[in-house]
Amino acid sequence: LNYIAAAVPLADAGSIGVSYIGMNSGDIAKTMADAAGEITDTNTKFAFSASAITLSYANKLKSFMEGNEIIDAISVGLSFKKLSDSETGDNTVDSGIAFDLGGQYKTPVEGLTAGLVFQNIGPALKSTASLPMNIKLGGLYQVIPMEEQIINVVVDLNIGFDGTFMPGFGAEYSPIEQASIRVGYAKRDFSGVTLGVGLRYPMEDINPSFDIAYVPTTDFGSTIRFGLTIGLAGIGIEPE
């Protein structure tokens, strides 16, 4: 299990969410190289893991100030993240905290939504490792060419505080309500074209969906990712 999350609406008080994301390398053989470059096995193993627990809150901006046409179209959110990583063998453990702050604006252009997020705001970890602070700009344009058919086109730009600039884009086509086909490209942790399929089976009180994606990565090669989302009716507080 790599990722799990839950979100609950609180009517006019906004929404809250909690998530966990983690990674574990498993045991890796530890080797050493001598002066001649000869690799030898040390007959020991090591492993590393990293995780983050996130608490989030989001609401419409008009809940905090007097509204107008622009403010009514903006939503804002804040996330608090508890970070940790460790490495067995060297017995090193590191931890830290960070915040994400973002906003979303439904533009006057029908189907067009824009977003801005400041990611990983916070001090360095307890070791010398600094957090990869980042500004993410994104846009979503939704087209409904025919009844029940939906096309979503997304673009994002990641601007790192270290001067890196990494664009990405993607598209999703839903020929029917129960299925989606996706394609994307990103040059970050991912490296190349991503492909995916989503299946949904909406029911009266529960709305499950299943997603599968092919994602080539720079560090771990080609990966297949699976996701399960379950929407439950009657959970949380609906607006009056």
Side-chain angles (χ1 to χ4, degrees):
L1 183 64
N2 296 108
Y3 179 77
I4 187 170
V8 179
L10 301 175
D12 295 333
S15 299
I16 58 172
V18 59
S19 69
Y20 168 86
I21 186 170
M23 182 193 70
N24 191 305
S25 68
D27 288 338
I28 301 173
K30 197 169 187 178
T31 59
M32 295 183 63
D34 58 22
E38 187 73 22
I39 303 297
T40 58
D41 191 345
T42 63
N43 294 318
T44 60
K45 297 182 181 296
F46 75 99
F48 64 88
S49 62
S51 64
I53 298 174
T54 303
L55 300 175
S56 303
Y57 175 77
N59 204 347
K60 294 185 179 296
L61 187 58
K62 67 179 181 180
S63 299
F64 307 104
M65 62 178 64
E66 185 176 348
N68 56 41
E69 187 172 323
I70 294 178
I71 290 177
D72 290 350
I74 296 176
S75 299
V76 293
L78 175 67
S79 291
F80 167 80
K81 299 187 289 189
K82 178 66 171 64
L83 311 172
S84 64
D85 63 61
S86 62
E87 181 177 324
T88 61
D90 293 339
N91 294 320
T92 58
V93 179
D94 208 350
S95 64
I97 59 172
F99 297 88
D100 294 343
L101 177 64
Q104 177 180 282
Y105 174 52
K106 291 187 176 181
T107 73
V109 179
E110 185 176 357
L112 180 61
T113 302
L116 171 65
V117 182
F118 296 89
Q119 296 177 304
N120 298 324
I121 304 169
L125 300 180
K126 289 182 178 179
S127 69
T128 58
S130 60
L131 296 176
M133 290 189 288
N134 183 68
I135 299 175
K136 182 187 290 288
L137 299 169
L140 163 68
Y141 185 60
Q142 184 177 87
V143 182
I144 304 178
M146 298 178 62
E147 186 177 356
E148 293 189 355
Q149 295 190 17
I150 298 176
I151 298 175
N152 292 316
V153 179
V154 295
V155 176
D156 69 46
L157 300 174
N158 290 271
I159 306 170
F161 280 44
D162 59 357
T164 56
F165 180 82
M166 296 170 288
F169 67 87
E172 176 188 67
Y173 172 56
S174 301
I176 58 176
E177 181 183 0
Q178 293 81 10
S180 299
I181 303 169
R182 306 179 182 109
V183 62
Y185 177 84
K187 192 65 176 177
R188 298 192 299 276
D189 300 328
F190 314 135
S191 179
V193 176
T194 63
L195 302 171
V197 174
L199 300 175
R200 295 178 292 276
Y201 190 72
M203 295 181 284
E204 183 176 354
D205 296 323
I206 185 172
N207 293 290
S209 63
F210 175 76
D211 299 283
I212 182 171
Y214 164 76
V215 182
T217 67
T218 54
D219 294 327
F220 302 104
S222 297
T223 62
I224 302 295
R225 300 186 178 185
F226 301 91
L228 176 65
T229 303
I230 299 178
L232 301 174
I235 301 297
I237 306 172
E238 297 295 335
E240 296 183 356

